[in-house]
Protein backbone atom coordinates (compact mmCIF):
# COMPACT_ATOMS: atom_id res chain seq x y z
CA UNK A 1 0.00 0.00 0.00
CA UNK A 2 1.33 3.40 -0.92
CA UNK A 3 0.25 6.78 0.28
CA UNK A 4 -0.29 9.44 -2.35
CA UNK A 5 2.83 11.52 -2.97
CA UNK A 6 3.13 14.75 -1.01
CA UNK A 7 2.13 17.85 -2.98
CA UNK A 8 4.92 19.81 -4.64
CA UNK A 9 5.94 22.83 -2.61
CA UNK A 10 9.01 23.90 -4.50
CA UNK A 11 8.91 25.75 -7.81
CA UNK A 12 12.64 25.76 -8.55
CA UNK A 13 14.23 22.33 -8.56
CA UNK A 14 16.79 21.79 -5.83
CA UNK A 15 19.79 19.55 -6.24
CA UNK A 16 20.20 16.37 -4.23
CA UNK A 17 23.44 14.40 -3.96
CA UNK A 18 23.35 10.98 -2.31
CA UNK A 19 26.49 9.06 -1.46
CA UNK A 20 25.94 5.41 -0.62
CA UNK A 21 28.20 3.26 1.52
CA UNK A 22 27.99 -0.43 2.32
CA UNK A 23 25.55 -3.05 1.18
CA UNK A 24 23.03 -3.37 -1.64
CA UNK A 25 20.21 -2.60 0.78
CA UNK A 26 21.68 0.85 1.16
CA UNK A 27 21.72 1.21 -2.64
CA UNK A 28 18.01 0.39 -2.65
CA UNK A 29 17.34 2.75 0.29
CA UNK A 30 19.19 5.60 -1.44
CA UNK A 31 16.96 5.27 -4.49
CA UNK A 32 13.90 5.31 -2.23
CA UNK A 33 15.18 8.42 -0.41
CA UNK A 34 15.40 10.14 -3.79
CA UNK A 35 11.75 9.12 -4.34
CA UNK A 36 10.81 10.62 -0.96
CA UNK A 37 12.54 13.91 -1.76
CA UNK A 38 11.34 14.30 -5.37
CA UNK A 39 7.84 15.57 -4.43
CA UNK A 40 9.35 18.42 -2.42
CA UNK A 41 11.42 19.57 -5.35
CA UNK A 42 14.75 17.69 -5.14
CA UNK A 43 16.30 16.19 -8.28
CA UNK A 44 19.45 14.05 -8.27
CA UNK A 45 22.84 15.43 -9.21
CA UNK A 46 26.05 13.40 -9.39
CA UNK A 47 28.30 16.00 -7.83
CA UNK A 48 28.15 17.38 -4.27
CA UNK A 49 29.65 20.78 -5.19
CA UNK A 50 26.42 22.55 -6.03
CA UNK A 51 24.01 20.29 -4.14
CA UNK A 52 21.36 21.91 -1.93
CA UNK A 53 21.05 18.70 0.05
CA UNK A 54 23.69 16.01 0.55
CA UNK A 55 22.66 12.67 2.02
CA UNK A 56 25.32 10.24 3.21
CA UNK A 57 23.71 6.81 3.41
CA UNK A 58 26.08 5.10 5.76
CA UNK A 59 27.32 1.68 6.86
CA UNK A 60 28.30 0.72 10.40
CA UNK A 61 29.31 -2.89 9.87
CA UNK A 62 33.03 -2.34 10.46
CA UNK A 63 34.92 0.53 12.07
CA UNK A 64 36.54 1.54 8.78
CA UNK A 65 33.17 1.95 7.07
CA UNK A 66 31.92 4.18 9.88
CA UNK A 67 35.09 6.29 10.02
CA UNK A 68 34.85 7.07 6.29
CA UNK A 69 31.66 8.97 7.05
CA UNK A 70 33.41 11.34 9.43
CA UNK A 71 36.12 12.17 6.88
CA UNK A 72 33.47 12.79 4.22
CA UNK A 73 31.60 15.07 6.63
CA UNK A 74 34.81 17.06 7.14
CA UNK A 75 35.11 17.57 3.35
CA UNK A 76 31.45 18.53 3.03
CA UNK A 77 31.72 21.11 5.77
CA UNK A 78 34.53 22.86 3.90
CA UNK A 79 32.49 22.73 0.68
CA UNK A 80 29.49 24.20 2.43
CA UNK A 81 31.49 26.97 4.10
CA UNK A 82 33.04 27.91 0.75
CA UNK A 83 29.59 28.09 -0.84
CA UNK A 84 28.28 30.24 1.96
CA UNK A 85 31.33 32.53 1.73
CA UNK A 86 30.71 32.98 -2.02
CA UNK A 87 26.99 33.60 -1.41
CA UNK A 88 26.17 30.63 -3.60
CA UNK A 89 23.45 29.35 -1.31
CA UNK A 90 23.33 26.83 1.46
CA UNK A 91 23.75 23.09 1.64
CA UNK A 92 21.85 20.84 4.02
CA UNK A 93 23.76 17.80 5.21
CA UNK A 94 21.93 14.62 6.22
CA UNK A 95 23.38 11.40 7.57
CA UNK A 96 21.17 8.38 6.98
CA UNK A 97 21.65 4.64 7.37
CA UNK A 98 23.29 2.55 10.04
CA UNK A 99 25.87 5.07 11.36
CA UNK A 100 22.98 7.48 11.89
CA UNK A 101 21.10 4.79 13.79
CA UNK A 102 24.01 3.65 15.93
CA UNK A 103 25.85 6.91 16.52
CA UNK A 104 23.19 9.64 16.49
CA UNK A 105 24.58 11.40 19.57
CA UNK A 106 28.22 10.87 18.62
CA UNK A 107 27.48 12.33 15.18
CA UNK A 108 25.98 15.47 16.66
CA UNK A 109 29.04 15.87 18.87
CA UNK A 110 31.74 15.06 16.32
CA UNK A 111 30.11 16.59 13.27
CA UNK A 112 28.15 19.74 14.18
CA UNK A 113 27.71 20.51 10.46
CA UNK A 114 25.15 17.72 10.19
CA UNK A 115 21.58 19.02 9.93
CA UNK A 116 19.66 15.77 9.80
CA UNK A 117 20.25 12.34 11.31
CA UNK A 118 17.82 9.71 10.05
CA UNK A 119 17.88 5.97 10.74
CA UNK A 120 17.17 3.23 8.18
CA UNK A 121 13.61 2.70 9.43
CA UNK A 122 12.62 6.36 9.47
CA UNK A 123 13.71 7.75 6.10
CA UNK A 124 10.15 7.92 4.79
CA UNK A 125 9.91 10.96 7.08
CA UNK A 126 12.92 12.67 5.47
CA UNK A 127 10.78 15.05 3.38
CA UNK A 128 9.08 16.42 6.49
CA UNK A 129 12.41 16.80 8.25
CA UNK A 130 13.90 18.77 5.35
CA UNK A 131 10.86 21.03 5.16
CA UNK A 132 10.96 21.71 8.88
CA UNK A 133 14.61 22.70 8.70
CA UNK A 134 14.09 24.93 5.69
CA UNK A 135 11.22 26.64 7.48
CA UNK A 136 13.19 27.08 10.67
CA UNK A 137 16.87 27.25 9.72
CA UNK A 138 19.19 26.26 12.52
CA UNK A 139 16.96 23.61 14.07
CA UNK A 140 18.59 20.20 13.65
CA UNK A 141 16.54 17.05 13.24
CA UNK A 142 17.21 13.56 14.52
CA UNK A 143 14.95 10.59 13.84
CA UNK A 144 16.34 7.21 14.75
CA UNK A 145 13.00 5.69 15.76
CA UNK A 146 11.84 2.26 14.80
CA UNK A 147 8.37 3.59 13.94
CA UNK A 148 5.34 1.37 14.35
CA UNK A 149 4.28 2.16 10.81
CA UNK A 150 6.35 0.39 8.18
CA UNK A 151 8.36 2.76 6.02
CA UNK A 152 7.39 0.60 3.05
CA UNK A 153 3.74 1.60 3.50
CA UNK A 154 4.64 5.25 3.72
CA UNK A 155 7.12 5.47 0.83
CA UNK A 156 5.93 6.93 -2.47
CA UNK A 157 5.97 4.67 -5.52
CA UNK A 158 9.33 4.22 -7.19
CA UNK A 159 9.72 6.96 -9.75
CA UNK A 160 12.98 6.32 -11.59
CA UNK A 161 13.71 3.12 -13.50
CA UNK A 162 16.58 1.16 -11.95
CA UNK A 163 17.97 -0.16 -15.23
CA UNK A 164 18.31 -3.71 -16.57
CA UNK A 165 19.19 -5.23 -13.17
CA UNK A 166 17.15 -3.99 -10.22
CA UNK A 167 17.17 -4.37 -6.44
CA UNK A 168 14.03 -5.07 -4.46
CA UNK A 169 14.07 -5.18 -0.66
CA UNK A 170 11.75 -7.93 0.60
CA UNK A 171 13.02 -8.36 4.15
CA UNK A 172 14.92 -6.28 6.63
CA UNK A 173 16.54 -6.64 10.01
CA UNK A 174 17.81 -9.64 11.85
CA UNK A 175 16.97 -11.66 14.95
CA UNK A 176 20.05 -13.90 14.82
CA UNK A 177 22.40 -11.81 16.94
CA UNK A 178 25.74 -13.12 15.74
CA UNK A 179 28.07 -11.88 18.47
CA UNK A 180 30.17 -9.73 16.08
CA UNK A 181 27.37 -7.98 14.23
CA UNK A 182 25.64 -4.59 14.61
CA UNK A 183 22.79 -5.30 12.20
CA UNK A 184 20.22 -6.47 14.77
CA UNK A 185 20.79 -3.16 16.58
CA UNK A 186 20.97 -0.82 13.58
CA UNK A 187 18.33 -2.37 11.33
CA UNK A 188 16.16 -3.80 14.09
CA UNK A 189 14.09 -6.98 14.27
CA UNK A 190 13.32 -9.15 11.27
CA UNK A 191 10.53 -7.78 9.15
CA UNK A 192 9.13 -9.23 5.92
CA UNK A 193 7.09 -7.18 3.46
CA UNK A 194 3.73 -8.60 2.37
CA UNK A 195 4.03 -10.68 -0.81
CA UNK A 196 1.36 -8.65 -2.62
CA UNK A 197 3.38 -5.41 -2.22
CA UNK A 198 6.54 -7.13 -3.43
CA UNK A 199 4.79 -8.57 -6.49
CA UNK A 200 3.40 -5.14 -7.34
CA UNK A 201 6.85 -3.60 -7.08
CA UNK A 202 8.43 -6.43 -9.09
CA UNK A 203 5.89 -5.95 -11.90
CA UNK A 204 6.55 -2.23 -11.89
CA UNK A 205 10.31 -2.80 -12.14
CA UNK A 206 9.78 -5.09 -15.14
CA UNK A 207 7.41 -2.56 -16.76
CA UNK A 208 10.15 0.05 -16.28
CA UNK A 209 12.59 -2.14 -18.21
CA UNK A 210 14.36 -4.27 -15.61
CA UNK A 211 14.79 -7.90 -16.64
CA UNK A 212 16.74 -9.05 -13.59
CA UNK A 213 15.66 -8.59 -9.98
CA UNK A 214 17.82 -9.16 -6.93
CA UNK A 215 15.65 -9.74 -3.87
CA UNK A 216 17.33 -8.15 -0.87
CA UNK A 217 17.25 -8.78 2.85
CA UNK A 218 19.77 -8.97 5.68
CA UNK A 219 18.35 -12.42 6.22
CA UNK A 220 16.51 -12.81 2.98
CA UNK A 221 15.91 -16.54 3.26
CA UNK A 222 14.18 -16.03 6.62
CA UNK A 223 11.49 -14.22 4.60
CA UNK A 224 8.01 -14.90 5.99
CA UNK A 225 5.77 -12.16 4.60
CA UNK A 226 2.02 -12.30 4.43
CA UNK A 227 0.89 -14.42 1.47
CA UNK A 228 -2.32 -14.04 -0.56
CA UNK A 229 -4.08 -16.68 1.58
CA UNK A 230 -3.41 -14.71 4.76
CA UNK A 231 -0.70 -17.19 5.81
CA UNK A 232 3.03 -16.42 5.94
CA UNK A 233 4.78 -17.15 2.67
CA UNK A 234 8.30 -18.57 2.33
CA UNK A 235 11.00 -17.13 0.09
CA UNK A 236 10.76 -20.22 -2.14
CA UNK A 237 7.06 -19.56 -2.81
CA UNK A 238 7.70 -15.85 -3.31
CA UNK A 239 10.42 -16.63 -5.86
CA UNK A 240 8.15 -18.97 -7.81
CA UNK A 241 5.44 -16.27 -7.86
CA UNK A 242 7.79 -13.53 -9.03
CA UNK A 243 9.23 -15.88 -11.66
CA UNK A 244 5.82 -15.95 -13.40
CA UNK A 245 6.15 -12.28 -14.39
CA UNK A 246 6.50 -12.03 -18.17
CA UNK A 247 9.52 -10.03 -19.23
CA UNK A 248 11.50 -10.95 -16.14
CA UNK A 249 14.33 -13.27 -17.10
CA UNK A 250 16.55 -13.48 -14.03
CA UNK A 251 16.02 -13.65 -10.29
CA UNK A 252 18.58 -13.65 -7.49
CA UNK A 253 18.44 -13.19 -3.73
CA UNK A 254 20.90 -12.10 -1.09
CA UNK A 255 22.02 -12.39 1.77
CA UNK A 256 21.18 -15.86 3.06
CA UNK A 257 21.89 -17.56 6.35
CA UNK A 258 22.84 -21.26 6.19
CA UNK A 259 20.30 -22.04 8.93
CA UNK A 260 17.39 -20.78 6.83
CA UNK A 261 18.36 -22.64 3.65
CA UNK A 262 15.37 -25.02 3.76
CA UNK A 263 14.70 -27.89 1.35
CA UNK A 264 12.00 -26.06 -0.59
CA UNK A 265 14.30 -23.09 -1.23
CA UNK A 266 17.01 -25.50 -2.36
CA UNK A 267 14.43 -27.17 -4.64
CA UNK A 268 13.66 -23.75 -6.18
CA UNK A 269 17.17 -23.80 -7.71
CA UNK A 270 16.14 -26.98 -9.54
CA UNK A 271 12.57 -26.09 -10.53
CA UNK A 272 12.78 -22.35 -11.28
CA UNK A 273 14.98 -21.74 -14.32
CA UNK A 274 14.83 -17.95 -13.85
CA UNK A 275 16.55 -18.34 -10.48
CA UNK A 276 20.22 -17.84 -11.37
CA UNK A 277 22.80 -20.47 -10.37
CA UNK A 278 24.61 -18.29 -7.87
CA UNK A 279 24.24 -18.07 -4.11
CA UNK A 280 25.93 -15.88 -1.51
CA UNK A 281 25.94 -18.08 1.60
CA UNK A 282 28.17 -16.58 4.30
CA UNK A 283 29.77 -19.04 6.72
CA UNK A 284 32.15 -16.58 8.48
CA UNK A 285 34.48 -19.29 9.85
CA UNK A 286 35.36 -22.93 9.28
CA UNK A 287 36.01 -23.64 12.94
CA UNK A 288 33.26 -25.18 15.05
CA UNK A 289 34.65 -23.52 18.16
CA UNK A 290 34.54 -20.07 16.55
CA UNK A 291 31.16 -20.66 14.90
CA UNK A 292 29.80 -21.40 18.36
CA UNK A 293 31.34 -18.26 19.85
CA UNK A 294 29.92 -16.29 16.93
CA UNK A 295 26.45 -17.65 17.80
CA UNK A 296 25.96 -18.72 14.20
CA UNK A 297 23.65 -21.57 15.20
CA UNK A 298 25.26 -24.19 12.95
CA UNK A 299 28.53 -26.06 12.66
CA UNK A 300 30.77 -26.70 9.65
CA UNK A 301 29.18 -30.06 8.85
CA UNK A 302 25.74 -28.45 8.72
CA UNK A 303 27.16 -25.94 6.22
CA UNK A 304 28.71 -28.72 4.10
CA UNK A 305 25.38 -30.56 4.16
CA UNK A 306 23.55 -27.49 2.79
CA UNK A 307 26.20 -27.02 0.10
CA UNK A 308 25.89 -30.69 -0.94
CA UNK A 309 22.11 -30.45 -1.20
CA UNK A 310 22.35 -27.23 -3.21
CA UNK A 311 24.81 -28.75 -5.65
CA UNK A 312 22.67 -31.86 -5.99
CA UNK A 313 19.71 -29.60 -6.90
CA UNK A 314 21.70 -27.32 -9.23
CA UNK A 315 25.04 -28.84 -10.26
CA UNK A 316 26.31 -25.62 -11.88
CA UNK A 317 25.61 -23.53 -8.75
CA UNK A 318 28.40 -21.08 -7.93
CA UNK A 319 28.87 -20.18 -4.29
CA UNK A 320 30.16 -17.11 -2.57
CA UNK A 321 30.66 -16.37 1.12
CA UNK A 322 31.80 -13.91 3.77
CA UNK A 323 34.62 -14.70 6.18
CA UNK A 324 35.84 -12.98 9.30
CA UNK A 325 39.44 -13.58 10.35
CA UNK A 326 40.84 -12.80 13.79
CA UNK A 327 37.58 -13.18 15.69
CA UNK A 328 38.38 -13.15 19.45
CA UNK A 329 40.14 -16.34 20.51
CA UNK A 330 40.77 -17.55 16.92
CA UNK A 331 43.81 -19.83 17.05
CA UNK A 332 46.02 -20.81 14.13
CA UNK A 333 44.21 -24.18 14.15
CA UNK A 334 40.80 -22.44 13.95
CA UNK A 335 42.04 -20.37 11.04
CA UNK A 336 43.40 -23.55 9.44
CA UNK A 337 39.86 -24.96 9.62
CA UNK A 338 38.62 -21.92 7.69
CA UNK A 339 41.22 -22.43 4.96
CA UNK A 340 40.30 -26.09 4.79
CA UNK A 341 36.59 -25.28 4.48
CA UNK A 342 37.34 -22.90 1.61
CA UNK A 343 39.35 -25.64 -0.15
CA UNK A 344 36.57 -28.15 0.36
CA UNK A 345 33.70 -25.93 -0.85
CA UNK A 346 35.49 -24.11 -3.69
CA UNK A 347 34.11 -20.59 -4.11
CA UNK A 348 33.43 -18.55 -7.23
CA UNK A 349 34.18 -15.51 -5.11
CA UNK A 350 34.15 -14.50 -1.45
CA UNK A 351 34.62 -11.50 0.80
CA UNK A 352 36.95 -11.65 3.76
CA UNK A 353 37.27 -9.16 6.59
CA UNK A 354 39.42 -8.62 9.64
CA UNK A 355 37.30 -8.80 12.75
CA UNK A 356 36.38 -5.28 13.82
CA UNK A 357 35.04 -4.90 17.39
CA UNK A 358 31.76 -3.02 17.24
CA UNK A 359 30.57 -1.16 20.32
CA UNK A 360 27.58 -2.81 21.97
CA UNK A 361 28.13 -6.27 20.44
CA UNK A 362 29.09 -9.16 22.77
CA UNK A 363 32.33 -10.11 21.00
CA UNK A 364 33.71 -6.59 21.35
CA UNK A 365 34.01 -7.19 25.11
CA UNK A 366 35.84 -10.53 24.83
CA UNK A 367 39.19 -10.53 26.61
CA UNK A 368 41.03 -12.54 23.97
CA UNK A 369 41.12 -10.07 21.07
CA UNK A 370 43.59 -10.93 18.30
CA UNK A 371 46.54 -8.69 17.40
CA UNK A 372 46.06 -6.55 14.30
CA UNK A 373 49.19 -7.95 12.61
CA UNK A 374 47.99 -11.53 13.11
CA UNK A 375 44.63 -10.54 11.59
CA UNK A 376 46.39 -8.92 8.62
CA UNK A 377 48.57 -11.92 7.99
CA UNK A 378 45.59 -14.34 8.15
CA UNK A 379 43.53 -12.08 5.91
CA UNK A 380 46.28 -12.13 3.30
CA UNK A 381 46.53 -15.93 3.34
CA UNK A 382 42.76 -16.31 3.05
CA UNK A 383 42.53 -13.75 0.26
CA UNK A 384 45.31 -15.50 -1.67
CA UNK A 385 43.34 -18.74 -1.56
CA UNK A 386 40.01 -17.11 -2.45
CA UNK A 387 41.56 -15.10 -5.29
CA UNK A 388 43.13 -18.25 -6.71
CA UNK A 389 39.75 -20.01 -6.61
CA UNK A 390 38.02 -17.04 -8.22
CA UNK A 391 40.59 -16.87 -11.04
CA UNK A 392 40.29 -20.62 -11.65
CA UNK A 393 36.49 -20.32 -11.73
CA UNK A 394 36.66 -17.50 -14.26
CA UNK A 395 39.27 -19.25 -16.39
CA UNK A 396 37.13 -22.39 -16.52
CA UNK A 397 34.60 -20.36 -18.57
CA UNK A 398 37.02 -19.80 -21.48
CA UNK A 399 35.61 -21.04 -24.78
CA UNK A 400 32.04 -21.29 -23.45
CA UNK A 401 29.04 -19.48 -24.88
CA UNK A 402 27.54 -17.64 -21.91
CA UNK A 403 24.33 -15.55 -21.73
CA UNK A 404 25.15 -12.10 -20.41
CA UNK A 405 22.70 -9.38 -19.35
CA UNK A 406 24.34 -6.11 -20.36
CA UNK A 407 23.68 -3.41 -17.80
CA UNK A 408 26.60 -0.96 -17.85
CA UNK A 409 28.56 1.02 -20.40
CA UNK A 410 32.32 0.52 -20.26
CA UNK A 411 34.79 3.39 -19.95
CA UNK A 412 35.61 3.65 -23.65
CA UNK A 413 33.12 3.91 -26.53
CA UNK A 414 32.22 0.43 -27.76
CA UNK A 415 32.84 -1.20 -24.37
CA UNK A 416 29.86 -2.76 -22.64
CA UNK A 417 29.68 -4.74 -19.42
CA UNK A 418 27.15 -7.24 -18.17
CA UNK A 419 26.73 -10.15 -15.79
CA UNK A 420 26.92 -13.85 -16.48
CA UNK A 421 24.40 -16.14 -14.72
CA UNK A 422 27.17 -16.67 -12.13
CA UNK A 423 27.41 -12.92 -11.50
CA UNK A 424 30.77 -12.54 -13.24
CA UNK A 425 31.33 -9.07 -14.67
CA UNK A 426 31.70 -9.72 -18.39
CA UNK A 427 33.40 -7.17 -20.65
CA UNK A 428 32.79 -6.97 -24.39
CA UNK A 429 34.33 -4.64 -26.94
CA UNK A 430 32.40 -3.93 -30.10
CA UNK A 431 31.31 -0.91 -32.12
CA UNK A 432 29.67 1.97 -30.20
CA UNK A 433 26.41 1.31 -32.10
CA UNK A 434 26.34 -2.39 -31.18
CA UNK A 435 27.28 -1.62 -27.60
CA UNK A 436 24.37 0.83 -27.36
CA UNK A 437 22.00 -1.73 -28.88
CA UNK A 438 23.14 -4.38 -26.39
CA UNK A 439 22.34 -2.31 -23.32
CA UNK A 440 19.52 -4.01 -21.41
CA UNK A 441 19.68 -7.12 -23.61
CA UNK A 442 20.68 -10.67 -22.71
CA UNK A 443 23.04 -11.98 -25.34
CA UNK A 444 25.14 -15.13 -25.56
CA UNK A 445 28.81 -14.24 -25.84
CA UNK A 446 31.94 -16.33 -26.33
CA UNK A 447 34.33 -16.16 -23.37
CA UNK A 448 37.88 -15.32 -24.46
CA UNK A 449 39.62 -14.83 -21.13
CA UNK A 450 39.08 -15.32 -17.42
CA UNK A 451 40.56 -12.46 -15.39
CA UNK A 452 40.83 -12.16 -11.58
CA UNK A 453 37.68 -10.03 -11.38
CA UNK A 454 35.66 -11.11 -14.36
CA UNK A 455 35.49 -12.27 -17.95
CA UNK A 456 36.44 -10.90 -21.32
CA UNK A 457 34.14 -12.01 -24.13
CA UNK A 458 33.32 -11.40 -27.75
CA UNK A 459 30.03 -11.30 -29.59
CA UNK A 460 29.57 -14.68 -31.23
CA UNK A 461 28.84 -13.29 -34.70
CA UNK A 462 31.89 -11.05 -34.48
CA UNK A 463 33.97 -14.17 -33.76
CA UNK A 464 32.28 -16.48 -36.29
CA UNK A 465 30.42 -14.22 -38.72
CA UNK A 466 27.04 -15.73 -37.72
CA UNK A 467 24.04 -13.56 -36.82
CA UNK A 468 23.63 -13.06 -33.08
CA UNK A 469 20.25 -13.62 -31.53
CA UNK A 470 19.20 -12.51 -28.04
CA UNK A 471 18.52 -15.35 -25.66
CA UNK A 472 16.40 -15.46 -22.56
CA UNK A 473 18.53 -16.60 -19.61
N1 LIG B 1 33.94 -7.31 11.83
C1 LIG B 1 34.29 -7.77 10.60
N2 LIG B 1 33.42 -8.17 9.68
C2 LIG B 1 32.12 -8.11 9.99
N3 LIG B 1 31.02 -8.43 9.31
C3 LIG B 1 29.94 -8.19 10.06
N4 LIG B 1 30.31 -7.69 11.25
C4 LIG B 1 31.66 -7.64 11.24
C5 LIG B 1 32.64 -7.24 12.18
N5 LIG B 1 32.30 -6.80 13.39
C6 LIG B 1 31.07 -9.04 7.98
C7 LIG B 1 30.42 -10.43 7.98
C8 LIG B 1 29.13 -10.17 7.25
C9 LIG B 1 29.53 -9.07 6.30
C10 LIG B 1 28.41 -8.30 5.72
O1 LIG B 1 30.35 -8.23 7.08
O2 LIG B 1 31.26 -11.29 7.25
O3 LIG B 1 28.64 -11.32 6.58
FE1 LIG C 1 24.55 -9.95 11.32
FE2 LIG C 1 24.44 -12.57 11.89
FE3 LIG C 1 22.20 -11.21 11.38
FE4 LIG C 1 23.92 -11.72 9.39
S1 LIG C 1 22.79 -13.25 10.57
S2 LIG C 1 22.89 -9.74 9.80
S3 LIG C 1 25.88 -11.56 10.44
S4 LIG C 1 23.56 -10.90 13.11
Amino acid sequence: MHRPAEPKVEATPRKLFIKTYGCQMNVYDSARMADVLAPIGYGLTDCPDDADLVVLNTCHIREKAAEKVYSELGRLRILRDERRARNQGDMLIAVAGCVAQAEGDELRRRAPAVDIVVGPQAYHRLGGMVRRILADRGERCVDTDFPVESKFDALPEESAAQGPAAFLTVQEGCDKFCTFCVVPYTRGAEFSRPAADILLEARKLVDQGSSEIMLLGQNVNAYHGLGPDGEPMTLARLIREIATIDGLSRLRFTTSHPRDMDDDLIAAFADTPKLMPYLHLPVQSGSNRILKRMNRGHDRDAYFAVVDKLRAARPDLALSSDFIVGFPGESEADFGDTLELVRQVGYAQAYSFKYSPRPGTPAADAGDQIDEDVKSERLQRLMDLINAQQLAFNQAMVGRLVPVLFDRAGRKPGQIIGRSPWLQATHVETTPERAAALFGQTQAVRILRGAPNGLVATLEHEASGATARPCST
Side-chain angles (χ1 to χ4, degrees), residues 24 27 56 62 127 148 342 358 395 399:
Q24 289 131 327
V27 176
L56 302 183
R62 285 168 293 277
V148 278
V342 173
R358 308 306 292 129
Q395 287 178 336

Side-chain angles (χ1 to χ4, degrees), residues 15-21 26-38 42-49 51-58 72 76 92 94-97 123 126:
K15 290 185 182 164
L16 165 68
F17 176 75
I18 305 185
K19 182 160 181 169
T20 308
Y21 299 82
N26 270 9
V27 176
Y28 177 88
D29 289 344
S30 292
R32 304 315 309 271
M33 280 189 254
D35 292 337
V36 167
L37 293 165
Y42 285 91
L44 280 171
T45 172
D46 41 17
C47 165
D49 294 28
D52 302 292
L53 170 60
V54 173
V55 178
L56 302 183
N57 192 11
T58 61
E72 185 63 29
L76 286 175
L92 287 183
V95 178
Y123 67 73
L126 191 53

Side-chain angles (χ1 to χ4, degrees), residues 68-358:
K68 273 190 206 158
V69 175
Y70 289 100
S71 13
E72 185 63 29
L73 284 171
R75 281 192 288 274
L76 286 175
R77 200 180 81 175
I78 295 169
L79 206 62
R80 164 154 108 183
D81 290 349
E82 284 171 357
R83 276 186 63 182
R84 280 181 182 164
R86 289 197 299 261
N87 273 331
Q88 286 175 329
D90 209 351
M91 174 199 279
L92 287 183
I93 301 176
V95 178
C98 292
V99 174
Q101 189 65 44
E103 296 192 12
D105 292 339
E106 171 92 347
L107 262 168
R108 276 142 66 95
R109 196 179 54 75
R110 280 182 63 184
V114 173
D115 300 290
I116 293 173
V117 176
V118 61
Q121 305 309 338
Y123 67 73
H124 54 293
R125 301 170 174 170
L126 191 53
M129 297 170 82
V130 170
R131 277 189 306 190
R132 273 201 302 284
I133 293 212
L134 290 178
D136 180 17
R137 197 73 188 97
E139 190 60 41
R140 301 166 95 210
C141 266
V142 177
D143 191 344
T144 50
D145 281 0
F146 288 101
V148 278
E149 83 272 14
S150 158
K151 72 175 173 226
F152 292 107
D153 291 342
L155 287 168
E157 279 196 32
E158 276 192 82
S159 51
Q162 286 196 44
F167 292 140
L168 201 176
T169 293
V170 303
Q171 182 279 337
E172 248 192 291
C174 178
D175 296 340
K176 300 255 179 348
F177 290 92
C178 298
T179 55
F180 52 82
C181 185
V182 287
V183 166
Y185 312 96
T186 55
R187 289 269 171 175
E190 261 180 28
F191 167 79
S192 297
R193 297 177 65 190
D197 293 2
I198 295 167
L199 281 159
L200 212 65
E201 195 170 325
R203 284 195 196 98
K204 173 125 196 245
L205 289 169
V206 173
D207 288 347
Q208 287 174 331
S210 300
S211 44
E212 171 176 314
I213 294 180
M214 171 84 91
L215 305 177
L216 299 179
Q218 259 102 25
N219 246 283
V220 73
N221 58 342
Y223 176 82
H224 57 274
L226 193 68
D229 51 4
E231 293 295 315
M233 193 163 171
T234 61
L235 184 65
R237 272 186 64 202
L238 181 70
I239 284 170
R240 292 189 186 106
E241 282 289 323
I242 298 176
T244 62
I245 298 174
D246 284 341
L248 180 77
S249 57
R250 293 176 164 198
L251 255 176
R252 305 178 188 274
F253 60 92
T254 199
T255 289
S256 298
H257 195 293
R259 262 165 67 189
D260 294 317
M261 215 56 228
D262 63 50
D263 287 347
D264 195 32
L265 186 53
I266 292 172
F269 279 100
D271 63 36
T272 310
K274 288 183 184 179
L275 187 57
M276 290 291 100
Y278 179 93
L279 179 66
H280 184 59
L281 194 65
V283 64
Q284 313 295 354
S285 169
S287 153
N288 280 338
R289 212 174 62 83
I290 297 296
L291 286 170
K292 202 171 173 73
R293 280 190 64 171
M294 287 177 163
N295 190 33
R296 290 290 291 174
H298 65 85
D299 60 14
R300 55 187 272 134
D301 283 346
Y303 185 80
F304 287 138
V306 170
V307 168
D308 288 349
K309 280 194 207 170
L310 281 161
R311 286 186 165 148
R314 186 84 196 232
D316 67 339
L317 187 84
L319 283 164
S320 121
S321 182
D322 292 338
F323 293 94
I324 295 178
V325 299
F327 183 82
E330 185 189 69
S331 66
E332 182 56 32
D334 293 318
F335 177 65
D337 287 348
T338 298
L339 292 178
E340 203 268 326
L341 178 142
V342 173
R343 282 190 204 102
Q344 199 163 321
V345 173
Y347 289 99
Q349 69 162 45
Y351 304 90
S352 35
F353 311 101
K354 286 195 267 187
Y355 170 68
S356 166
R358 308 306 292 129

